[in-house]
């Protein structure tokens, strides 16, 4: 018999779409998968070389549970350099991927009955991690009309005496929306009035921003929140290292210590070789980030234009990450060539896959409908083909 905890959660829907697309492809169908949340770029060579050198040097044994001193030092330097934040080594944790960082933080702090404020659309794993811990996600809808961003008055209204955390993700998965310094400051003002609320700042897309957008993390914008903020980040997105599984965070020493205790009884240290690679990634020349962003921004513009040229879709231009989240309210109620009426974004996603072989993730998975998420971390040619197929599928609706 399964535990009640495992029965409270569902498998990750983004992973499900990626798997389904792979299955159909293997069965011979012409499929374009736009579901996966990972850069199509390769891990930089200098990072791979550092990993190979680490293996040769024998860095292949258990390490300190929540990160090697070398990596913690590199992370402290990164927080200072990029975010103006001064964390001691006892205020830094390293984990097996950003998801693991969030998991540890939630499991170490949440009790049954606690509430966690999560603006929607949200990254799919937040509510499930919270529910696994026995706590309750308090989902705050942030629709396209407000550019998918949480407003201060919404935050104020969502906080109760039971609120333990706000999960704050900028730039956002799934919308790409990023909060300006002024927008972060306005939310910080609300948080200052509620000293019992902790904040998880998920900065994993920090380096993937466009059009001179200036990223600023919460604890930097409002230093008075530093002692109750967990500033979380990771190697996955910026350095195209999704498979290496390294996430990390800076935060108050009591929380970092509790997370290490949990990790000591579960996964132990993150992969030693991946940690050595991440030291190189963080300490190395960062100039390739700008080259990659230049490629991403071209793709963003291509996708946003083609989607907005499609009647029934409405796609804001995101400031960061590599996702767009077109609203598809204009497609609901329409009939497909085979006679099905589209009643939800799940229907729309199923239709796009069935009719034209384009795999996207339906908005309900991210808590805000009707919409779907496209990951544009793939080549211009594939994106042009995919958006052309979406246009064709939409034109065939009655
Ligand atoms: N946070 C957000 C918003 C994400 O989109 C992801 C990955 O998709 C993660 C955290 C976790 O990244 P990983 O566990 O792959 O390091």
């Amino acid at each position: 018999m399964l535990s009640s905890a495992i029965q409270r959660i569902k498998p990750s829907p983004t992973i499900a779409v990626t798997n389904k697309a792979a299955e159909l492809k293997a069965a011979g169908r012409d499929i374009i998968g736009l579901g996966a949340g990972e850069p199509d770029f390769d891990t930089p060579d200098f990072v791979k070389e550092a990993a190979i050198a680490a293996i040769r040097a024998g860095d292949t044994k258990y390490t300190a549970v929540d990160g090697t001193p070398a990596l913690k030092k590199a992370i402290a330097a990164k927080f200072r350099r990029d975010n103006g934040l001064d964390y001691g080594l006892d205020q830094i944790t390293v984990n097996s991927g950003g998801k693991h960082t969030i998991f540890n933080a939630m499991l170490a702090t949440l009790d049954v009955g606690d509430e966690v404020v999560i603006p929607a659309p949200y990254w799919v794993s937040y509510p499930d991690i919270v529910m696994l811990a026995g706590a309750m996600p308090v989902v705050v809808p942030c629709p396209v009309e407000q550019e998918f961003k949480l407003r201060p008055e919404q935050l104020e209204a969502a906080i109760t005496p039971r609120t333990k955390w706000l999960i704050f993700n900028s730039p956002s998965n799934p919308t790409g929306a990023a909060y300006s310094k002024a927008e972060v400051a306005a939310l910080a003002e609300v948080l200052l009035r509620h000293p019992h609320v902790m904040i998880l700042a998920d900065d994993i897309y920090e380096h993937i921003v466009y059009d001179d957008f200036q990223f600023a993390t919460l604890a930097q914008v409002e230093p008075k929140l530093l002692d109750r903020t967990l500033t979380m980040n990771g190697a996955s997105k910026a350095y195209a290292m999704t498979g290496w599984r390294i996430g990390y965070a800076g935060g108050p020493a009591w929380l970092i210590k509790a997370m290490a205790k949990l990790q000591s009884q579960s996964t132990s240290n993150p992969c030693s070789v991946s940690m050595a690679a991440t030291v190189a990634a963080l300490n190395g020349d960062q100039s390739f980030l700008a080259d990659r962003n230049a490629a991403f921004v071209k793709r963003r513009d291509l996708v946003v234009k083609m989607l907005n040229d499609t009647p029934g879709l409405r796609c804001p231009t995101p400031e960061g990450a590599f996702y767009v989240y077109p609203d598809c309210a204009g497609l609901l109620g329409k009939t497909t060539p085979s006679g099905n009426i589209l009643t939800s974004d799940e229907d729309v996603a199923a239709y796009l896959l069935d009719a034209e072989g384009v795999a996207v993730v339906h908005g309900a998975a991210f808590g805000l409908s009707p919409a779907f998420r496209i990951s544009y971390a793939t080549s211009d040619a594939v994106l042009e083909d995919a958006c052309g197929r979406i246009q064709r599928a939409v034109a065939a609706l009655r």
Side-chain angles (χ1 to χ4, degrees):
M1 189 57 192
L2 296 174
S3 67
S4 54
I6 196 73
Q7 292 184 65
R8 284 196 290 273
I9 66 168
K10 57 186 181 316
S12 161
T14 45
I15 293 176
V17 167
T18 309
N19 290 349
K20 178 148 192 218
E23 247 170 57
L24 290 171
K25 221 175 191 165
R29 282 217 35 207
D30 172 21
I31 300 290
I32 303 181
L34 302 178
E38 67 180 350
D40 58 325
F41 301 119
D42 199 2
T43 302
D45 276 336
F46 72 92
V47 175
K48 291 182 183 175
E49 291 304 330
I52 293 163
I55 292 172
R56 295 226 159 92
D59 288 351
T60 53
K61 303 285 172 63
Y62 290 133
T63 72
V65 162
D66 71 342
T68 57
L71 180 50
K72 287 193 176 187
K73 274 186 207 143
I75 291 167
K78 173 260 176 283
F79 278 134
R80 222 169 291 127
R81 176 181 74 226
D82 297 342
N83 311 113
L85 294 174
D86 254 313
Y87 288 114
L89 299 195
D90 63 340
Q91 295 178 301
I92 290 172
T93 181
V94 188
N95 324 95
S96 301
K99 190 180 282 188
H100 189 210
T101 309
I102 300 168
F103 185 93
N104 281 352
M106 294 299 128
L107 268 282
T109 55
L110 290 175
D111 279 314
V112 173
D114 286 342
E115 296 175 358
V116 177
V117 175
I118 305 177
Y122 46 70
W123 180 48
V124 292
S125 294
Y126 297 146
D128 289 74
I129 293 173
V130 168
M131 287 188 288
L132 187 71
M136 209 173 71
V138 174
V139 173
V140 183
C142 305
V144 63
E145 292 76 22
Q146 56 192 78
E147 295 166 319
F148 305 119
K149 291 181 199 175
L150 179 69
R151 290 184 173 157
E153 61 274 18
Q154 289 181 296
L155 176 59
E156 183 72 60
I159 293 174
T160 76
R162 312 206 75 157
T163 307
K164 199 87 171 244
W165 287 92
L166 161 70
I167 299 186
F168 181 68
N169 173 218
S170 170
S172 149
N173 177 2
T175 65
Y179 292 69
S180 69
K181 207 170 160 181
E183 288 166 334
V184 175
L187 294 172
E189 211 183 298
V190 175
L191 292 161
L192 285 173
R193 289 199 288 273
H194 301 279
H196 66 293
V197 178
M198 308 259 316
I199 306 100
L200 190 148
D202 181 342
D203 295 350
I204 206 155
Y205 295 100
E206 162 185 23
H207 289 302
I208 306 177
V209 291
Y210 312 117
D211 308 326
D212 302 323
F213 178 86
Q214 293 295 314
F215 174 85
T217 193
L218 185 81
Q220 171 186 31
V221 172
E222 182 44 86
K224 289 203 218 64
L225 292 175
L226 182 68
D227 62 358
R228 52 186 168 109
T229 299
L230 187 70
T231 306
M232 180 245 140
N233 213 313
S236 295
K237 313 291 175 170
Y239 303 107
M241 290 175 69
T242 46
W244 300 71
R245 311 308 304 136
I246 296 293
Y248 60 85
W254 64 266
L255 174 60
I256 296 299
K257 194 171 159 197
M259 291 167 71
K261 180 168 146 188
L262 177 58
Q263 191 154 301
S264 78
Q265 294 292 17
S266 50
T267 60
S268 287
N269 63 272
C271 170
S272 58
V273 176
S274 297
M275 285 196 282
T278 306
V279 171
L282 290 175
N283 287 345
D285 180 0
Q286 308 288 303
S287 58
F288 69 94
L289 294 172
D291 300 340
R292 292 183 170 190
N293 283 357
F296 274 141
V297 79
K298 257 183 73 198
R299 298 165 178 185
R300 177 200 67 174
D301 291 344
L302 168 92
V303 171
V304 167
K305 177 166 190 326
M306 287 187 78
L307 293 174
N308 279 328
D309 285 347
T310 311
L313 296 182
R314 175 175 169 199
C315 186
T317 303
E319 293 91 349
F322 38 72
Y323 309 104
V324 289
Y325 199 68
D327 176 286
C328 62
L331 303 185
L332 300 190
K334 300 208 174 212
T335 307
T336 69
S338 54
N340 297 324
I341 298 174
L342 300 177
T343 60
S344 66
D345 52 29
E346 198 157 5
D347 287 351
V348 172
Y351 170 61
L352 293 177
L353 185 59
D354 187 50
E356 290 286 348
V358 180
V360 301
V361 186
H362 58 288
F366 306 98
L368 193 99
S369 292
F372 55 87
R373 187 192 79 172
I374 285 178
S375 163
Y376 57 82
T378 186
S379 73
D380 296 19
V382 168
L383 290 169
E384 210 165 335
D385 183 5
C387 292
R389 292 183 191 207
I390 292 172
Q391 290 181 336
R392 242 188 351 253
V394 169
L397 295 170
R398 284 174 285 117

